[in-house]
Amino acid sequence: MSLVLSSGLSGLSPLAFAMPGATEMLIFLFVVLLLFGGAKLPSLMRNLGRSANEFKRGMSETAEDDDTSDKDVDK
């Protein structure tokens, strides 16, 4: 009976607060739209995509460099 009456956050998983829901995402998008405006938003997203691609390219080049350095040591 005490389990039914007890309340609190002990039953929630730690990830319950890390995952934003639909309402939070809509509020976030509204704030971004207010801050940057509709005209700058496409260029902002374009630059974000370019930087993500550059980051991925840099990570793959680093992995390739690690692979070649391991082969040089084996020789």
Side-chain angles (χ1 to χ4, degrees):
M1 188 69 161
S2 64
L3 292 175
V4 175
L5 296 177
S6 67
S7 63
L9 299 177
S10 61
L12 295 176
S13 70
L15 295 177
F17 296 106
M19 304 298 272
T23 306
E24 289 88 1
M25 292 300 291
L26 286 174
I27 292 171
F28 176 74
L29 291 174
F30 180 71
V31 169
V32 167
L33 186 62
L34 282 176
L35 288 175
F36 295 105
K40 288 191 177 187
L41 206 54
S43 64
L44 179 70
M45 292 296 117
R46 188 179 313 112
N47 289 336
L48 183 65
R50 286 179 183 165
S51 62
N53 286 335
E54 186 174 332
F55 177 75
K56 288 178 188 178
R57 191 177 315 119
M59 291 299 291
S60 66
E61 288 175 0
T62 303
E64 290 172 2
D65 290 344
D66 289 343
D67 290 342
T68 57
S69 65
D70 290 340
K71 291 177 183 177
D72 292 341
V73 172
D74 292 338
K75 289 183 180 179

